[in-house]
Amino acid sequence: MKLIIPMAGMGKRMRPHTLTTPKPLIKVAGKSIVNWLIEDIAAVCGDEIDEIGFVVGHFGEAVEKELIQIAESVGAKGKIFYQETAEGTGHAILCARECLKGEVIVAFADTLFRTNFNLDKTKDGVIWVHKVDNPSSFGVVKYDANNIITDFVEKPTEFVSDLAIIGIYYFKSGE
């Protein structure tokens, strides 16, 4: 299993904290956000994560070294990829294209979650969602009677669903 973590954003909404520390490396209960994320995904996916691709801006050598150490702490090889220009999430994932082989999880670096399920790898893809009170503030999924996603709606003005996309995706085949 491979994991891609886009984290090249500036973290502007968390200033002044992010003036000196990239948002995913801010500590929460003694560990960085990205460290919690990786540990929680490793617990949910049920397979060993063998490679983690971190898509970064230019955070510096010390940050990159810390990211590699976090990957190694779960038995994975860490790789650093650079997103030179901010062209969105899809572009960030493409920057780590060499990790898009076999089973892949893409997880936004600022996502903290708790769950009690195991990943169903019989599916071609899985999107983590969470029920929210105010779906107009989020991207949400529409789904049919079989819980198959039929559409995505960004910040709906009329109710279509209360299942917000939390920023973690599984692909049976990254290719």
Side-chain angles (χ1 to χ4, degrees), residues 25-164:
L25 292 176
I26 291 175
K27 304 278 190 225
V28 174
K31 288 187 213 172
S32 67
I33 293 171
V34 73
N35 199 339
W36 284 112
L37 174 68
I38 290 168
E39 288 178 4
D40 290 344
I41 288 174
V44 167
C45 75
D47 275 347
E48 206 172 284
I49 297 172
D50 57 342
E51 188 174 277
I52 302 174
F54 299 97
V55 182
V56 302
H58 289 281
F59 294 154
E61 191 176 312
V63 168
E64 292 173 16
K65 187 176 179 180
E66 183 175 350
L67 293 172
I68 298 299
Q69 289 172 340
I70 291 170
E72 290 171 349
S73 75
V74 295
K77 178 179 182 179
K79 294 184 175 183
I80 304 295
F81 300 95
Y82 299 98
Q83 186 179 27
E84 302 293 340
T85 56
E87 296 182 42
T89 305
H91 177 259
I93 295 164
L94 187 59
C95 290
R97 66 176 58 82
E98 74 179 60
C99 294
L100 290 170
K101 296 177 184 147
E103 291 182 299
V104 177
I105 292 177
V106 175
F108 298 160
D110 56 359
T111 302
L112 292 172
F113 71 97
R114 286 283 175 242
T115 188
N116 61 356
F117 75 91
N118 292 320
L119 177 61
D120 181 357
K121 292 186 275 183
T122 65
K123 307 296 183 201
D124 290 334
V126 176
I127 299 174
W128 273 252
V129 295
H130 180 74
K131 192 172 186 170
V132 295
D133 292 332
N134 182 9
S136 66
S137 299
F138 302 94
V140 299
V141 296
K142 286 177 68 176
Y143 56 96
D144 65 19
N146 297 314
N147 289 326
I148 303 295
I149 294 171
T150 60
D151 200 2
F152 306 99
V153 180
E154 184 64 28
K155 298 181 181 174
T157 54
E158 295 180 24
F159 183 85
V160 293
S161 168
D162 57 1
L163 295 178

Side-chain angles (χ1 to χ4, degrees), residues 4-22:
I4 297 174
I5 303 178
M7 54 186 292
M10 302 291 292
K12 291 179 182 176
R13 289 180 297 219
M14 291 192 69
R15 288 191 176 160
H17 308 291
T18 55
L19 290 173
T20 56
T21 303

